[in-house]
Amino acid sequence: MGTTAQREPERAGGGRAWRIAGLAAVAGLAWAARDVPAQLGGRLVGARAERAARSPRFRDGTFHNPAGTSATMVADPGRNLVRELIFGKQKRRPGSAVPLLRPADPAPSDPARELNAIWYGHASTLVEIEGHRVLLDPVWSDRCSPSALVGPRRIHEPPVRLDELPPLDAVLISHDHYDHLDMATVRGLLDHQSAPFLVPLGVGAHLDRWGVPEERIVELDWSESHRVGGLTVTATAAQHFSGRGLRRDGTLWSSWVVAGAHRKVFYTGDSGYFDGYAAIGAEHGPFDLTLMQIGAYDRAWPNIHMFPEEAVAAHLDVRGQLLVPVHWGTFNLALHDWSEPVDRLWAEAKARDVRLAVPRPGERVVVDEPPAVDGWWQAIA
């Protein structure tokens, strides 16, 4: 053993090493969190705040669902969601890799009758309609979170890179949650596209902060429309909530109608099941294609996400022809099995004689000739 005089420099050196390591760790965390403030988005101020205040859905400083529907958790005595999240027996990820496809060039068709959809994963979907390209809720980041270190991580990669997308005519955002509005993706689209962003009231504040030019931001309240080339895009009702930081419901949420001269598409965004679907069907339907949210449901939050059986009911309410499910398979956001949403959807669609297509990520669905449902997800579940 060394003398006391020998050990003192060793302890001092060890202390310096620990301090250096600690500083390096703090610096690393600071570097990883450098984008978090920007990820939270902008505040509703100025002209945007004044316009929001005029909305029938805005009162007491926030937006509200119809008829005062609550978006809070439903109490379930005896159930511990945190314990279930950590120790639950559900299989929330597939057993093997999700098959990805790269969409081939579409077959020649009459541009006036064209209607295809390419699901890239979660809610991100490209609609090809009458010669126009409309991208819905694009999220290409590895996590749907304000942090690059924590938060739900992708189960599969995007089937194409962001810079491989074709020229877009519009980008639609349903609401400002991280799994639907992603800062890095928005900035990537700024670099590679010139299309406008159509968003619900207030969401333009986030885009402002991220550098989107004012002329590329179109904010809409429910029942308001905007023309994009030969398309009419209308914001329609949804039953959900919003928020990226501690403040909730400072921006609006919506579903979307995309209508051409001959073809129509309805996208739910995120929503619980409500009587607004029948009203949308009566005013805007019938629809050649519906893109229905089916995943991330739970009895603890029944008012803000649909169960698969409700998605089929909503499809029928809006008078849809072909149903394509979205909002499943890419991020683990709830306590059900990974494959449960689409299993339940398929069973309900068969029971109610609903036309269904369940594409692999990246697979183009030609609405007039959809691929047969083959249960591809069951082989990897």
Side-chain angles (χ1 to χ4, degrees):
M1 295 182 61
T3 65
T4 300
Q6 291 173 323
R7 290 196 297 270
E8 286 299 332
E10 293 174 1
R11 283 197 292 267
R16 282 194 298 271
W18 278 109
R19 285 195 295 273
I20 292 170
L23 289 171
V26 170
L29 289 172
W31 182 87
R34 68 197 186 283
D35 286 336
V36 169
Q39 287 272 17
L40 298 179
R43 297 283 294 178
L44 196 58
V45 296
R48 295 196 191 283
E50 293 172 5
R51 184 165 179 226
R54 295 193 295 270
S55 170
R57 277 141 289 283
F58 193 85
R59 64 180 183 275
D60 302 323
T62 60
F63 288 94
H64 295 263
N65 282 305
T69 302
S70 173
T72 58
M73 300 278 281
V74 175
D76 191 347
R79 187 183 186 198
N80 187 316
L81 288 173
V82 175
R83 183 185 300 122
E84 191 172 344
L85 177 66
I86 299 172
F87 300 109
K89 302 301 183 182
Q90 301 95 339
K91 189 176 180 183
R92 301 184 195 125
R93 302 181 69 87
S96 57
V98 175
L100 306 180
L101 298 180
R102 294 181 62 85
D105 292 336
S109 63
D110 179 2
R113 297 287 177 176
E114 176 195 34
L115 183 55
N116 312 315
I118 302 172
W119 177 60
Y120 295 117
H122 198 58
S124 303
T125 307
L126 179 68
V127 173
E128 302 172 325
I129 175 171
E130 297 183 7
H132 298 82
R133 304 291 175 266
V134 178
L135 184 62
L136 309 176
D137 284 350
V139 174
W140 257 250
S141 287
D142 190 47
R143 296 184 188 272
C144 54
S145 166
S147 169
L149 295 179
V150 297
R153 193 169 191 174
R154 300 186 73 95
I155 290 171
H156 65 82
E157 294 297 315
V160 298
R161 298 193 314 268
L162 200 60
D163 62 1
E164 293 179 308
L165 292 176
L168 303 173
D169 294 280
V171 180
L172 308 189
I173 305 296
S174 64
H175 63 296
D176 70 1
H177 286 158
Y178 294 101
D179 59 322
H180 294 259
L181 177 63
D182 176 56
M183 181 180 74
T185 302
V186 167
R187 288 177 168 172
L189 290 170
L190 282 180
D191 292 338
H192 302 292
Q193 301 284 345
S194 59
F197 291 81
L198 278 61
V199 301
L201 288 179
V203 176
H206 302 319
L207 303 184
D208 281 339
R209 183 169 187 184
W210 300 338
V212 179
E214 179 65 27
E215 63 271 16
R216 289 182 63 179
I217 301 173
V218 179
E219 283 193 336
L220 299 175
D221 200 350
W222 294 351
S223 298
E224 292 183 340
S225 299
H226 183 77
R227 291 285 292 177
V228 178
L231 305 177
T232 299
V233 181
T234 304
T236 44
Q239 184 173 280
H240 200 54
F241 69 106
S242 66
R244 295 178 74 84
L246 297 177
R247 183 170 181 259
R248 281 181 49 153
D249 301 337
T251 64
L252 186 59
W253 47 94
S254 73
S255 57
W256 290 100
V257 170
V258 180
H262 306 286
R263 314 307 298 263
K264 286 185 181 179
V265 177
F266 176 68
Y267 167 48
T268 59
D270 275 5
S271 179
Y273 181 72
F274 72 128
D275 58 10
Y277 287 125
I280 291 168
E283 182 175 358
H284 299 282
F287 294 96
D288 302 281
L289 170 67
T290 70
L291 301 166
M292 289 281 165
Q293 168 257 306
I294 67 164
Y297 51 79
D298 194 277
R299 65 181 187 270
W301 50 86
N303 295 325
I304 58 171
H305 280 171
M306 286 189 289
F307 291 85
E309 296 78 9
E310 292 175 325
V312 173
H315 169 84
L316 294 171
D317 285 349
V318 301
R319 299 192 289 155
Q321 298 301 311
L322 178 69
L323 189 162
V324 171
V326 298
H327 204 270
W328 78 280
T330 304
F331 294 108
N332 178 6
L333 301 176
L335 301 174
H336 53 65
D337 286 352
W338 175 80
S339 62
E340 181 185 295
V342 72
D343 282 333
R344 289 174 58 170
L345 180 79
W346 194 13
E348 185 71 4
K350 288 187 286 189
R352 303 191 67 174
D353 197 26
V354 165
R355 292 176 65 228
L356 177 69
V358 184
R360 295 156 177 80
E363 182 177 5
R364 176 181 280 106
V365 173
V366 179
V367 170
D368 293 333
E369 299 177 359
V373 181
D374 61 5
W376 61 265
W377 63 89
Q378 295 175 340
I380 63 172

